[in-house]
């Protein structure tokens, strides 16, 4: 596994900028979201399109830094989100997760200084840019939904996470480079709706090298619950460099605005 993306470790995120200069930029993610310093803003409602349909195929991969789900779709059936701060539709790309080695760390974004146990990223690119790679060249090219979870003994029922973990469980270790086709299910199984409590939005970056500054972040305000046993399953995925977590510490805001959108 010798790709550029494997050349970083979560043990030394302060060193990423040596190899990937943008990681030292002024529009980096994640950030601490200070609810009292966020500006209330009104946007058109967020719309999820096509998320209720199962993809043609679904793949789970450990890329050495996270476990991610990628999909293939019949023509014209790729799900999109639109509305909110987004101009036009953004196509679904993949889902992946960030976790820590105990329940008090793991999320990438923090809320009023508080870190949670896991963050699920649903990644999209602006459809008008044609491809994900092309979209990365634009400041509004990528939209990531960052769902925050806290570990408890009684989780919300998240069928998507349950199926993901069930599919990887049989192996003793679902390690870097491992990949597996799973039986396709609709992305709505991840309980993506967040209209009830609203969300925060700000302009940031990819949270991994090369830390490209092309992301419109949307962070739902409601914190979800995840079963501690499910968190243990995430922690059991071996990562590159024997990393025991895959969250990046928060980066400075550098004068950016964080907007609060009510539900
Ligand atoms: C994870 O490493 C994903 O596997 C990457 O996806 C993703 O990179 C990276 O995180 C950064 O995304 O939402 N955390 S983040 O800012 O989406 C990209 C792939 O490499 C480019 C496909
Ligand atoms: Zn991520």
């Amino acid at each position: 596994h010798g790709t550029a993306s494997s050349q970083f470790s979560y043990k030394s995120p302060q060193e990423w900028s040596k190899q990937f200069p943008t990681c030292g930029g002024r529009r980096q993610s994640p950030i601490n979201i200070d609810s009292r310093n966020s500006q209330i803003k009104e946007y058109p409602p967020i719309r999820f399109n096509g998320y209720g349909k199962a993809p043609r195929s679904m793949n789970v991969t450990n890329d050495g830094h996270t476990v991610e789900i990628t999909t293939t779709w019949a023509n014209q059936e790729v799900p999109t989100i639109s509305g909110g701060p987004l101009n036009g539709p953004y196509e679904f790309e993949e889902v992946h997760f960030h976790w820590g080695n105990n329940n008090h760390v793991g999320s990438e974004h923090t809320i009023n200084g508080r870190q949670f146990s896991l963050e699920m990223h649903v990644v999209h690119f602006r459809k008008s840019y044609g491809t994900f790679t092309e979209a990365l060249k634009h400041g509004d090219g990528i939209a990531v939904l960052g769902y925050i979870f806290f570990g408890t003994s009684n989780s919300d029922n998240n069928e998507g996470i349950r199926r993901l973990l069930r599919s990887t469980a049989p192996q003793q270790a679902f390690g870097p480079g491992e990949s597996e086709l799973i039986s396709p299910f609709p992305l709505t199984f991840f309980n993506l709706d967040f209209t009830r409590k609203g969300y925060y939005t700000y302009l940031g970056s990819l949270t991994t090298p090369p830390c490209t500054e092309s992301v419109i972040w949307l962070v739902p305000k409601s914190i979800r619950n995840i079963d501690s046993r499910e968190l243990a399953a995430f922690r059991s995925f071996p990562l590159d460099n024997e990393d025991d977590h895959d969250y990046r510490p928060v980066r400075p805001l550098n004068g950016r605005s964080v907007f609060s959108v009510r539900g």
Side-chain angles (χ1 to χ4, degrees), residues 6-208:
S6 68
Q7 295 162 12
F8 69 90
S9 166
Y10 282 99
K11 291 185 185 70
S12 50
Q14 67 289 346
E15 282 171 23
W16 293 355
S17 61
K18 290 181 188 163
Q19 252 196 293
F20 307 97
T22 308
C23 297
R26 294 185 56 82
R27 188 192 143 163
Q28 289 292 293
S29 295
I31 58 165
N32 174 49
I33 295 170
D34 182 349
S35 61
R36 283 167 312 179
N37 280 341
S38 63
Q39 302 173 31
I40 291 169
K41 188 136 171 167
E42 303 227 3
Y43 283 119
I46 295 279
R47 269 202 283 279
F48 287 90
N49 262 299
Y51 282 79
K53 209 157 181 179
R56 196 146 63 177
S57 72
M58 209 164 197
N59 197 274
V60 184
T61 304
N62 179 339
D63 75 355
H65 303 295
T66 189
V67 168
E68 67 181 16
I69 296 185
T70 53
T71 49
T72 64
W73 302 83
N75 271 347
Q76 316 294 336
E77 284 192 352
V78 186
T80 60
I81 49 166
S82 58
L86 308 176
N87 282 313
Y90 281 66
E91 271 197 7
F92 171 77
E93 175 79 8
E94 47 105 352
V95 185
H96 65 262
F97 299 84
H98 300 268
W99 59 86
N101 61 4
N102 68 70
N103 285 13
H104 303 287
V105 293
S107 71
E108 296 213 291
H109 289 91
T110 61
I111 309 284
N112 297 328
R114 185 160 174 219
Q115 193 175 13
F116 296 88
S117 320
L118 176 126
E119 197 165 317
M120 175 175 79
H121 287 161
V122 186
V123 182
H124 304 75
F125 67 93
R126 188 169 170 173
K127 195 172 177 178
S128 65
Y129 294 137
T131 64
F132 188 83
T133 310
E134 182 58 34
L136 279 172
K137 299 172 186 162
H138 301 265
D140 64 351
I142 308 295
V144 185
L145 310 179
Y147 297 84
I148 297 174
F149 290 76
F150 187 64
T152 61
S153 49
N154 62 320
S155 74
D156 307 340
N157 175 30
N158 193 305
E159 182 66 15
I161 288 179
R162 190 178 315 156
R163 291 211 189 190
L164 161 70
L165 294 174
R166 196 198 295 149
S167 73
T168 53
Q171 284 102 313
Q172 195 50 13
F174 189 75
E178 294 213 48
S179 193
E180 187 166 280
L181 279 168
I182 65 173
S183 166
F185 58 84
L187 296 167
T188 48
F189 282 23
F190 286 110
N191 299 344
L192 300 181
D193 181 60
F194 54 87
T195 47
R196 280 240 315 284
K197 286 197 75 183
Y199 59 95
Y200 298 106
T201 180
Y202 76 98
L203 300 178
S205 72
L206 298 180
T207 64
T208 67

